[in-house]
Amino acid sequence: MQADYVIIGAGSAGCALAYRLSEAGSSVLVIEYGGSDIGPFIQMPGALSFPMNMARYDWGYMSEPEPHLNNRRLVCPRGKVIGGSSSINGMVYVRGHARDFDHWEASGARGWSYSDVLPYYKRMESWHDGGHGGDPTWRGTDGPLHVTRGPRANPLYQAFVEAGRQAGYQMTGDYNGQQQEGFGPMEQTVWNGRRWSAANAYLRPALKRDNCDVIRGLATRIVIQDGRATGVELQTGGTTQTITANREVIVAASSINSPKLLMLSGIGPAAHLTQHNIDVIADRPGVGQNLQDHLEVYFQIAAAQPITLYKYWNMISKGIIGARWLLTRTGLGASNQFESAAFIRSRAGIDYPDIQYHFLPLAVRYDGQAAAEGHGFQAHTGPMRSPSRGAITLRSANPAEAPKIVFNYMSTDQDWQDFRTCLRLTREIFHQDAFKPHLRHEIQPGADLQTDDELDSFIRDHAESAYHPCGTCKMGAPDDPMAVVGPDTKVIGVDNLRVTDSSIFPRITNGNLNGPSIMVGEKAADHILGKSPLPRANAEPWIHPNWQTEQR
């Protein structure tokens, strides 16, 4: 088995790479451990809570006990299926803020500023505004990834946006366009009522070409000879074989599995590798470090009127919704129900948003457990740029064993200040006039929790991962000792080896990470093929004119 390019991981970035590299005429083999993504639990957007809680589709990773969150172990779902995490995620589409990418470039990832990446976002998108306004000149129209908006039929979606306006915040018709800051419609990777995963957008079209194929198995080691990656060791069933890469090996296995595989292959912190009796090929102390995530809470309100999605939270209604979706790809099953959103700044002196909101007209957990109080609604919210950093390390040299995941959430005073502020600003939004006909009482945190200590206790007990891990193979300048890959996505110190997924993010982006992960695959493909990058954009993003003195 051999190909010009061997890609490890059929996830968000890996699928995009397979599409672009095979489109250029190169032969491509994609290694994926997980199985098929065909079936209603993955393809029906309204069933999103199922695949991320099914061992068939999820690696089942858990953090180590988190010392600042009462030693709770938090779940860390990662897609173990064709399409990777784009097949089990919430389908929310966020590019990230322009300043995120300008920060990437300033930190050493030259050529990854917003002006550089915007053309790739346009190339990958087929954007449909659904009549809700937006910024057509900032969006793509003929890319593989369909981006749509839900119908926003439930009046609570509009109440959330109107409450933001009443509280004095900006409105935005397109947070993925010129102005991220403000309240407005949320976007989703859904097309014709189906989850539009990276597998549907990129991999299936690529597999129709004779020069692209998928092989099932567990990648256990990158084969490196004389400082050059030549292939991948693969376990399938009880056998081990080597897949040969004639040009390059490309690791796109996730921010958890990519650093794990590098370390198993002898690339990582030398002392840690030696501890596990792994021969050191390249001493890169940054491998597995710089782990970041978004931490959030579900701010839940009991509803005064029975208009929430809770009225469908019974077996008969779920059966009807499922049947309608199976027959027509329409109805409640055709949306992820995240249809209104907001990005705000927590205080004056911050130039771009650092708090995100996903609004949902139902009080429910990600695992599908509804609030005991029946009718309710909620906002998923939390700070966007935590200063805390964690790490991925090997538990052993056994490729079948999960790595140790320590996020080190809430490890700085700034984390606690930011989260308290977030909760108080959220409470203020829900007490605007727009919600007066709908608000019965606060389910959680609960109106009686007011002091810093009370809010801190709630955060320790209830904060959850937003499932956005990244940063563990940081992209940076070649002379940065903690950089793992250079701006060309090549692993520093090893030839013919790249990493191209969310693990290379120098710093986490604003919002959900599926969009930026696909963009990394798109842009990396041009680096790999030796193409000139797409011409830089000269679009100027909107920044609040009084950000230095005003919070809103």
Side-chain angles (χ1 to χ4, degrees):
M1 297 286 287
Q2 59 180 317
D4 293 334
Y5 298 102
V6 177
I7 300 169
I8 304 166
S12 300
C15 289
L17 279 164
Y19 180 93
R20 294 299 180 192
L21 297 179
S22 62
E23 178 185 52
S26 301
S27 59
V28 177
L29 267 178
V30 184
I31 296 171
E32 174 55 48
Y33 183 63
S36 171
D37 63 334
I38 301 300
F41 285 133
I42 281 182
Q43 297 299 328
M44 183 168 85
L48 65 90
S49 66
F50 287 97
M52 71 171 61
N53 292 289
M54 295 172 68
R56 175 179 174 183
Y57 301 128
D58 172 32
W59 283 91
Y61 291 140
M62 300 277 292
S63 77
E64 297 298 296
E66 287 291 335
H68 308 287
L69 295 177
N70 288 341
N71 287 314
R72 288 190 292 134
R73 299 186 71 196
L74 273 59
V75 294
C76 180
R78 291 293 88 193
K80 186 182 67 176
V81 59
I82 295 293
S85 293
S86 78
S87 289
I88 69 167
N89 68 0
M91 289 157 283
V92 173
Y93 180 74
V94 183
R95 286 173 166 181
H97 195 280
R99 290 281 193 268
D100 291 327
F101 303 103
D102 292 343
H103 179 275
W104 285 16
E105 174 155 270
S107 64
R110 288 183 60 84
W112 290 81
S113 72
Y114 185 63
S115 294
D116 295 302
V117 304
L118 178 57
Y120 288 94
Y121 276 122
K122 288 185 173 184
R123 183 171 85 175
M124 73 195 225
E125 290 176 350
S126 274
W127 177 69
H128 313 268
D129 74 349
H132 294 297
D135 274 351
T137 60
W138 289 67
R139 308 304 299 269
T141 57
D142 56 1
L145 188 73
H146 288 286
V147 178
T148 60
R149 299 178 175 195
R152 305 177 82 203
N154 192 297
L156 288 166
Y157 289 120
Q158 205 51 51
F160 179 70
V161 175
E162 177 60 16
R165 189 190 67 77
Q166 291 171 349
Y169 291 102
Q170 298 286 325
M171 300 290 99
T172 180
D174 186 358
Y175 63 73
N176 283 316
Q178 183 176 27
Q179 180 179 335
Q180 186 190 70
E181 185 169 338
F183 284 68
M186 187 159 250
E187 300 195 329
Q188 51 189 267
T189 48
V190 173
W191 180 236
N192 289 336
R194 289 175 63 204
R195 174 192 290 273
W196 204 245
S197 65
N200 285 332
Y202 287 97
L203 189 60
R204 285 201 165 79
L207 291 175
K208 291 177 181 175
R209 302 173 183 140
D210 293 339
N211 57 343
C212 183
D213 207 352
V214 173
I215 182 169
R216 292 279 309 281
L218 179 67
T220 58
R221 186 173 66 91
I222 300 156
V223 180
I224 301 169
Q225 298 175 336
D226 299 323
R228 177 174 165 269
T230 60
V232 180
E233 198 175 82
L234 187 70
Q235 281 184 1
T236 48
T239 65
T240 299
Q241 59 178 312
T242 297
I243 312 297
T244 299
N246 296 324
R247 294 186 188 167
E248 294 188 11
V249 174
I250 303 164
V251 183
S254 83
S255 57
I256 310 298
N257 286 326
S258 290
K260 173 190 169 186
L261 185 59
L262 289 185
M263 288 187 279
L264 289 172
S265 308
I267 304 162
H272 180 59
L273 302 185
T274 302
Q275 179 186 348
H276 292 288
N277 297 314
I278 297 171
D279 292 337
V280 178
I281 288 172
D283 180 10
R284 299 308 306 174
V287 175
Q289 302 300 304
N290 194 46
L291 174 61
Q292 299 160 66
D293 190 17
H294 289 139
L295 197 66
E296 66 181 9
V297 297
Y298 305 158
F299 202 113
Q300 296 182 330
I301 304 292
Q305 300 183 50
I307 61 171
T308 75
L309 297 178
Y310 183 73
K311 61 186 171 185
Y312 305 107
W313 209 257
N314 57 75
M315 292 308 295
I316 293 174
S317 294
K318 288 180 179 180
I320 293 170
I321 290 168
R324 177 179 174 181
W325 181 85
L326 284 167
L327 290 169
T328 67
R329 298 293 190 266
T330 63
L332 287 172
S335 170
N336 60 5
Q337 308 307 327
F338 292 119
E339 297 179 10
S340 282
F343 291 88
I344 66 172
R345 292 174 298 112
S346 63
R347 61 184 185 275
I350 294 175
D351 60 344
Y352 71 103
D354 60 337
I355 293 172
Q356 181 187 16
Y357 291 101
H358 302 65
F359 179 78
L360 187 65
L362 178 69
V364 66
R365 287 164 49 100
Y366 247 138
D367 61 9
Q369 298 297 310
E373 305 197 23
H375 279 285
F377 48 91
Q378 69 187 30
H380 300 195
T381 187
M384 287 289 95
R385 293 188 292 281
S386 166
S388 292
R389 296 291 182 269
I392 305 290
T393 53
L394 295 176
R395 200 177 298 275
S396 76
N398 178 3
E401 191 166 13
K404 290 176 72 171
I405 304 170
V406 177
F407 285 101
N408 201 28
Y409 295 117
M410 305 299 290
S411 61
T412 73
D413 289 341
Q414 190 67 51
D415 284 305
W416 295 98
Q417 293 172 32
D418 290 346
F419 228 122
R420 287 181 216 123
T421 299
C422 177
L423 293 177
R424 287 174 172 137
L425 292 172
T426 305
R427 184 173 277 158
E428 179 193 16
I429 291 164
F430 277 132
H431 281 85
Q432 298 299 312
D433 287 346
F435 275 119
K436 276 192 176 167
H438 305 294
L439 189 150
R440 195 162 86 233
H441 63 264
E442 195 177 294
I443 299 172
Q444 69 172 40
D448 54 329
L449 301 187
Q450 295 287 339
T451 68
D452 286 1
D453 286 347
E454 288 167 344
L455 293 178
D456 288 354
S457 181
F458 169 75
I459 294 163
R460 283 190 198 95
D461 289 340
H462 294 283
E464 299 284 350
S465 170
Y467 312 143
H468 300 160
C470 63
T472 49
C473 298
K474 186 181 83 163
M475 175 168 54
D479 59 354
D480 178 354
M482 295 305 288
V484 177
V485 301
D488 54 6
T489 72
K490 290 181 178 179
V491 173
I492 300 166
V494 181
D495 292 335
N496 296 3
L497 179 63
R498 299 189 199 237
V499 182
T500 58
D501 58 19
S502 65
S503 64
I504 73 169
F505 294 10
R507 188 173 72 178
I508 197 165
T509 55
N510 257 19
N512 311 62
L513 300 193
N514 187 48
S517 299
I518 294 172
M519 180 278 291
V520 162
E522 282 270 10
K523 190 172 185 303
D526 281 359
H527 288 283
I528 293 164
L529 293 167
K531 289 186 173 184
S532 297
L534 296 178
R536 299 177 84 236
N538 56 9
E540 279 295 320
W542 186 91
I543 300 292
H544 194 294
N546 301 321
W547 66 267
Q548 291 170 307
T549 56
E550 297 177 9
Q551 182 258 331
R552 63 188 87 171

